[in-house]
Amino acid sequence: GNDGVLRAINGNRTTNIGSVPAGNEMWAFVPPEFFDQIKRLRDNDTQINFFGNTTTTPAPLPKPYGLDGSITAYTDLDDKWIYVTARRGGRVVYAFDMSTIDADPASVDLLWKVGCPNADNDTGCTAGFSDIAQTWSSVKPMATGYSPSMVIMGGGYDPCEDDDPITNTCRSSSKGNRVYVMDGETGALLNGTNPFVTDRGVA
């Protein structure tokens, strides 16, 4: 949602999932990276920085984003996992275990999280992920002999690409120019501490 909350909804037309009726929320998650946006959204008095906005006091701020990226899934006979990216919301990937959700709609667990908590610096990054950019790339399960699951994703989109292409200084950017191969269950890097390097960001 545009309030930064990831929500699971019973998408059935008429059938309950556990005790949750069709069309109702089963669970919701707010990443800690977005806690500081909650008051701003509640107050609803911040001017948004967009082209043509001439407001100067107070200074307009960029639009806040939450887990704004794609959601992909991996399932087998025993496991149901989903992978959630942030797109403009940040430099993180979350994985959730929903293997017992049919019996209990609220039984979702954090499987793993990788990336960086800050958009503008590498403080607190997961080991091996300091070069990740905004996570626009889907986390894709791969059909391999690796057990139980292997996933692959691009290193992301560097927002310096938003600049005017004529004056763009992004050509030497080091953010996002990676391809990560990970253990789908743990998030551990499988292609070493220096993942596949590309010329530019891989969104």
Short mmCIF file of all heavy atoms in Angstrom, two decimals, residues 110-152:
data_model
loop_
_atom_site.label_atom_id
_atom_site.label_comp_id
_atom_site.label_asym_id
_atom_site.label_seq_id
_atom_site.Cartn_x
_atom_site.Cartn_y
_atom_site.Cartn_z
N LEU A 110 9.16 -13.99 9.25
CA LEU A 110 10.25 -13.42 8.45
C LEU A 110 11.27 -14.51 8.20
O LEU A 110 11.81 -15.10 9.14
CB LEU A 110 10.89 -12.24 9.19
CG LEU A 110 12.07 -11.58 8.47
CD1 LEU A 110 11.62 -10.93 7.18
CD2 LEU A 110 12.72 -10.55 9.38
N LEU A 111 11.51 -14.80 6.93
CA LEU A 111 12.48 -15.83 6.55
C LEU A 111 13.89 -15.24 6.55
O LEU A 111 14.81 -15.79 7.13
CB LEU A 111 12.11 -16.39 5.18
CG LEU A 111 12.70 -17.72 4.75
CD1 LEU A 111 12.30 -18.83 5.71
CD2 LEU A 111 12.23 -18.06 3.32
N TRP A 112 14.05 -14.09 5.88
CA TRP A 112 15.31 -13.36 5.88
C TRP A 112 15.11 -11.98 5.31
O TRP A 112 14.08 -11.69 4.70
CB TRP A 112 16.42 -14.10 5.15
CG TRP A 112 16.12 -14.62 3.76
CD1 TRP A 112 15.76 -15.89 3.44
CD2 TRP A 112 16.17 -13.90 2.52
NE1 TRP A 112 15.59 -16.01 2.07
CE2 TRP A 112 15.84 -14.80 1.49
CE3 TRP A 112 16.47 -12.58 2.17
CZ2 TRP A 112 15.78 -14.43 0.14
CZ3 TRP A 112 16.41 -12.20 0.83
CH2 TRP A 112 16.08 -13.12 -0.17
N LYS A 113 16.14 -11.17 5.50
CA LYS A 113 16.17 -9.81 4.94
C LYS A 113 17.61 -9.52 4.56
O LYS A 113 18.53 -9.82 5.33
CB LYS A 113 15.69 -8.80 5.98
CG LYS A 113 15.99 -7.35 5.67
CD LYS A 113 15.71 -6.49 6.89
CE LYS A 113 16.34 -5.12 6.76
NZ LYS A 113 16.15 -4.30 7.95
N VAL A 114 17.82 -8.96 3.37
CA VAL A 114 19.16 -8.54 2.96
C VAL A 114 19.07 -7.13 2.37
O VAL A 114 18.01 -6.67 1.95
CB VAL A 114 19.79 -9.50 1.92
CG1 VAL A 114 19.98 -10.89 2.50
CG2 VAL A 114 18.96 -9.56 0.64
N GLY A 115 20.23 -6.48 2.33
CA GLY A 115 20.29 -5.15 1.73
C GLY A 115 20.87 -4.13 2.69
O GLY A 115 21.66 -4.45 3.58
N CYS A 116 20.43 -2.88 2.51
CA CYS A 116 20.94 -1.75 3.28
C CYS A 116 19.77 -0.95 3.84
O CYS A 116 18.82 -0.65 3.11
CB CYS A 116 21.80 -0.85 2.41
SG CYS A 116 23.24 -1.67 1.69
N PRO A 117 19.81 -0.57 5.13
CA PRO A 117 18.70 0.16 5.71
C PRO A 117 18.61 1.62 5.28
O PRO A 117 17.56 2.25 5.45
CB PRO A 117 18.96 0.05 7.22
CG PRO A 117 20.44 -0.12 7.32
CD PRO A 117 20.85 -0.90 6.11
N ASN A 118 19.71 2.16 4.73
CA ASN A 118 19.73 3.59 4.38
C ASN A 118 19.87 3.77 2.88
O ASN A 118 20.64 3.06 2.22
CB ASN A 118 20.91 4.27 5.09
CG ASN A 118 20.87 4.07 6.59
OD1 ASN A 118 19.88 4.40 7.23
ND2 ASN A 118 21.93 3.51 7.14
N ALA A 119 19.14 4.74 2.35
CA ALA A 119 19.19 5.01 0.92
C ALA A 119 20.50 5.68 0.51
O ALA A 119 20.99 5.46 -0.60
CB ALA A 119 18.01 5.88 0.51
N ASP A 120 21.07 6.48 1.41
CA ASP A 120 22.17 7.35 1.02
C ASP A 120 23.55 6.93 1.53
O ASP A 120 24.54 7.60 1.26
CB ASP A 120 21.89 8.78 1.50
CG ASP A 120 20.59 9.33 0.91
OD1 ASP A 120 20.30 9.00 -0.26
OD2 ASP A 120 19.88 10.06 1.62
N ASN A 121 23.61 5.84 2.31
CA ASN A 121 24.93 5.39 2.78
C ASN A 121 24.88 3.88 3.00
O ASN A 121 23.82 3.27 2.94
CB ASN A 121 25.36 6.13 4.04
CG ASN A 121 24.45 5.84 5.22
OD1 ASN A 121 24.41 4.73 5.74
ND2 ASN A 121 23.71 6.86 5.65
N ASP A 122 26.04 3.30 3.24
CA ASP A 122 26.16 1.84 3.34
C ASP A 122 26.26 1.35 4.78
O ASP A 122 26.62 0.20 5.02
CB ASP A 122 27.37 1.36 2.55
CG ASP A 122 27.23 1.66 1.06
OD1 ASP A 122 26.09 1.76 0.58
OD2 ASP A 122 28.27 1.79 0.38
N THR A 123 25.92 2.21 5.74
CA THR A 123 25.95 1.80 7.14
C THR A 123 24.89 0.72 7.39
O THR A 123 23.72 0.89 7.03
CB THR A 123 25.69 3.00 8.06
OG1 THR A 123 26.66 4.01 7.80
CG2 THR A 123 25.74 2.59 9.52
N GLY A 124 25.30 -0.37 8.00
CA GLY A 124 24.34 -1.41 8.38
C GLY A 124 23.96 -2.36 7.28
O GLY A 124 23.04 -3.16 7.45
N CYS A 125 24.67 -2.33 6.15
CA CYS A 125 24.34 -3.24 5.04
C CYS A 125 24.67 -4.68 5.41
O CYS A 125 25.62 -4.96 6.13
CB CYS A 125 25.13 -2.87 3.78
SG CYS A 125 24.68 -1.28 3.05
N THR A 126 23.87 -5.60 4.87
CA THR A 126 24.18 -7.02 4.99
C THR A 126 25.50 -7.29 4.29
O THR A 126 25.78 -6.73 3.22
CB THR A 126 23.07 -7.86 4.33
OG1 THR A 126 21.80 -7.46 4.85
CG2 THR A 126 23.28 -9.34 4.57
N ALA A 127 26.32 -8.17 4.87
CA ALA A 127 27.61 -8.50 4.27
C ALA A 127 27.43 -8.96 2.83
O ALA A 127 26.61 -9.83 2.55
CB ALA A 127 28.30 -9.58 5.08
N GLY A 128 28.19 -8.35 1.91
CA GLY A 128 28.12 -8.70 0.50
C GLY A 128 27.12 -7.90 -0.29
O GLY A 128 27.04 -8.01 -1.51
N PHE A 129 26.32 -7.03 0.40
CA PHE A 129 25.26 -6.29 -0.30
C PHE A 129 25.44 -4.78 -0.25
O PHE A 129 24.50 -4.04 -0.52
CB PHE A 129 23.89 -6.65 0.30
CG PHE A 129 23.40 -8.01 -0.09
CD1 PHE A 129 23.73 -9.12 0.66
CD2 PHE A 129 22.63 -8.19 -1.23
CE1 PHE A 129 23.30 -10.39 0.31
CE2 PHE A 129 22.17 -9.45 -1.59
CZ PHE A 129 22.51 -10.55 -0.83
N SER A 130 26.64 -4.30 0.02
CA SER A 130 26.84 -2.85 0.11
C SER A 130 26.71 -2.16 -1.24
O SER A 130 26.56 -0.94 -1.30
CB SER A 130 28.21 -2.53 0.73
OG SER A 130 29.24 -3.07 -0.06
N ASP A 131 26.74 -2.92 -2.34
CA ASP A 131 26.59 -2.31 -3.67
C ASP A 131 25.16 -2.41 -4.20
O ASP A 131 24.90 -2.02 -5.35
CB ASP A 131 27.54 -2.98 -4.66
CG ASP A 131 28.99 -2.63 -4.37
OD1 ASP A 131 29.29 -1.44 -4.27
OD2 ASP A 131 29.80 -3.56 -4.21
N ILE A 132 24.24 -2.91 -3.40
CA ILE A 132 22.85 -3.00 -3.86
C ILE A 132 22.26 -1.60 -3.98
O ILE A 132 22.61 -0.69 -3.23
CB ILE A 132 22.02 -3.88 -2.89
CG1 ILE A 132 20.75 -4.40 -3.57
CG2 ILE A 132 21.68 -3.12 -1.60
CD1 ILE A 132 20.05 -5.50 -2.80
N ALA A 133 21.42 -1.40 -4.97
CA ALA A 133 20.75 -0.11 -5.17
C ALA A 133 19.26 -0.30 -4.85
O ALA A 133 18.88 -1.26 -4.17
CB ALA A 133 20.96 0.36 -6.61
N GLN A 134 18.42 0.61 -5.31
CA GLN A 134 16.98 0.43 -5.11
C GLN A 134 16.57 -0.91 -5.72
O GLN A 134 16.90 -1.20 -6.87
CB GLN A 134 16.20 1.57 -5.77
CG GLN A 134 16.40 2.92 -5.12
CD GLN A 134 15.64 4.02 -5.85
OE1 GLN A 134 15.07 3.82 -6.92
NE2 GLN A 134 15.63 5.21 -5.28
N THR A 135 15.82 -1.70 -4.96
CA THR A 135 15.55 -3.08 -5.39
C THR A 135 14.32 -3.16 -6.30
O THR A 135 13.24 -3.51 -5.88
CB THR A 135 15.38 -4.00 -4.16
OG1 THR A 135 14.42 -3.41 -3.26
CG2 THR A 135 16.70 -4.18 -3.45
N TRP A 136 14.56 -2.83 -7.57
CA TRP A 136 13.51 -2.91 -8.59
C TRP A 136 13.39 -4.32 -9.17
O TRP A 136 12.35 -4.70 -9.69
CB TRP A 136 13.81 -1.93 -9.72
CG TRP A 136 13.63 -0.49 -9.37
CD1 TRP A 136 14.19 0.19 -8.33
CD2 TRP A 136 12.83 0.47 -10.07
NE1 TRP A 136 13.81 1.50 -8.32
CE2 TRP A 136 12.97 1.71 -9.40
CE3 TRP A 136 12.04 0.40 -11.21
CZ2 TRP A 136 12.33 2.86 -9.81
CZ3 TRP A 136 11.40 1.58 -11.64
CH2 TRP A 136 11.55 2.78 -10.94
N SER A 137 14.46 -5.08 -9.14
CA SER A 137 14.49 -6.38 -9.80
C SER A 137 13.68 -7.40 -9.00
O SER A 137 13.76 -7.45 -7.77
CB SER A 137 15.94 -6.85 -9.92
OG SER A 137 16.02 -8.11 -10.53
N SER A 138 12.90 -8.23 -9.70
CA SER A 138 12.19 -9.33 -9.04
C SER A 138 13.18 -10.38 -8.55
O SER A 138 14.22 -10.60 -9.18
CB SER A 138 11.21 -10.00 -10.01
OG SER A 138 10.24 -9.09 -10.46
N VAL A 139 12.86 -11.01 -7.44
CA VAL A 139 13.64 -12.15 -6.96
C VAL A 139 13.08 -13.39 -7.64
O VAL A 139 11.94 -13.77 -7.41
CB VAL A 139 13.53 -12.28 -5.43
CG1 VAL A 139 14.32 -13.48 -4.93
CG2 VAL A 139 14.02 -11.00 -4.75
N LYS A 140 13.86 -14.01 -8.51
CA LYS A 140 13.37 -15.10 -9.35
C LYS A 140 13.92 -16.46 -8.88
O LYS A 140 15.13 -16.67 -8.88
CB LYS A 140 13.79 -14.89 -10.81
CG LYS A 140 13.22 -13.64 -11.45
CD LYS A 140 11.74 -13.82 -11.74
CE LYS A 140 11.23 -12.67 -12.60
NZ LYS A 140 9.81 -12.82 -12.92
N PRO A 141 13.02 -17.38 -8.47
CA PRO A 141 13.49 -18.75 -8.19
C PRO A 141 14.04 -19.39 -9.46
O PRO A 141 13.53 -19.16 -10.56
CB PRO A 141 12.22 -19.46 -7.72
CG PRO A 141 11.33 -18.36 -7.22
CD PRO A 141 11.61 -17.19 -8.13
N MET A 142 15.12 -20.18 -9.29
CA MET A 142 15.77 -20.82 -10.43
C MET A 142 15.58 -22.33 -10.35
O MET A 142 15.63 -22.92 -9.26
CB MET A 142 17.27 -20.49 -10.42
CG MET A 142 17.58 -19.03 -10.51
SD MET A 142 19.34 -18.69 -10.22
CE MET A 142 20.10 -19.49 -11.61
N ALA A 143 15.37 -22.95 -11.50
CA ALA A 143 15.24 -24.41 -11.57
C ALA A 143 16.64 -25.01 -11.65
O ALA A 143 17.25 -25.08 -12.72
CB ALA A 143 14.40 -24.81 -12.78
N THR A 144 17.17 -25.42 -10.51
CA THR A 144 18.51 -26.01 -10.45
C THR A 144 18.44 -27.22 -9.53
O THR A 144 17.40 -27.53 -8.95
CB THR A 144 19.53 -25.01 -9.87
OG1 THR A 144 19.23 -24.79 -8.49
CG2 THR A 144 19.51 -23.70 -10.63
N GLY A 145 19.55 -27.89 -9.37
CA GLY A 145 19.60 -29.01 -8.45
C GLY A 145 19.87 -28.59 -7.02
O GLY A 145 19.96 -29.43 -6.13
N TYR A 146 19.99 -27.27 -6.81
CA TYR A 146 20.28 -26.76 -5.46
C TYR A 146 19.05 -26.95 -4.57
O TYR A 146 17.93 -26.68 -4.98
CB TYR A 146 20.66 -25.29 -5.53
CG TYR A 146 21.10 -24.69 -4.22
CD1 TYR A 146 22.42 -24.81 -3.79
CD2 TYR A 146 20.20 -24.02 -3.41
CE1 TYR A 146 22.84 -24.26 -2.59
CE2 TYR A 146 20.61 -23.47 -2.20
CZ TYR A 146 21.93 -23.60 -1.80
OH TYR A 146 22.33 -23.05 -0.61
N SER A 147 19.25 -27.43 -3.37
CA SER A 147 18.13 -27.70 -2.46
C SER A 147 18.20 -26.77 -1.25
O SER A 147 19.27 -26.58 -0.66
CB SER A 147 18.20 -29.15 -2.00
OG SER A 147 17.16 -29.45 -1.09
N PRO A 148 17.03 -26.17 -0.85
CA PRO A 148 15.73 -26.37 -1.46
C PRO A 148 15.43 -25.40 -2.60
O PRO A 148 14.60 -25.67 -3.45
CB PRO A 148 14.76 -26.13 -0.29
CG PRO A 148 15.46 -25.11 0.55
CD PRO A 148 16.92 -25.43 0.43
N SER A 149 16.09 -24.24 -2.62
CA SER A 149 15.76 -23.24 -3.63
C SER A 149 16.93 -22.30 -3.85
O SER A 149 17.66 -21.95 -2.92
CB SER A 149 14.53 -22.43 -3.17
OG SER A 149 14.33 -21.30 -3.97
N MET A 150 17.11 -21.88 -5.10
CA MET A 150 18.10 -20.87 -5.46
C MET A 150 17.35 -19.73 -6.15
O MET A 150 16.44 -19.98 -6.95
CB MET A 150 19.16 -21.47 -6.40
CG MET A 150 20.25 -20.49 -6.81
SD MET A 150 21.39 -21.22 -8.03
CE MET A 150 22.22 -22.44 -7.02
N VAL A 151 17.71 -18.49 -5.80
CA VAL A 151 17.05 -17.34 -6.41
C VAL A 151 18.11 -16.41 -6.99
O VAL A 151 19.26 -16.40 -6.57
CB VAL A 151 16.15 -16.58 -5.40
CG1 VAL A 151 15.01 -17.46 -4.94
CG2 VAL A 151 16.96 -16.07 -4.22
N ILE A 152 17.69 -15.60 -7.97
CA ILE A 152 18.59 -14.65 -8.63
C ILE A 152 17.88 -13.31 -8.76
O ILE A 152 16.65 -13.25 -8.94
CB ILE A 152 19.03 -15.20 -10.02
CG1 ILE A 152 20.10 -14.30 -10.63
CG2 ILE A 152 17.83 -15.37 -10.94
CD1 ILE A 152 20.75 -14.92 -11.87
#
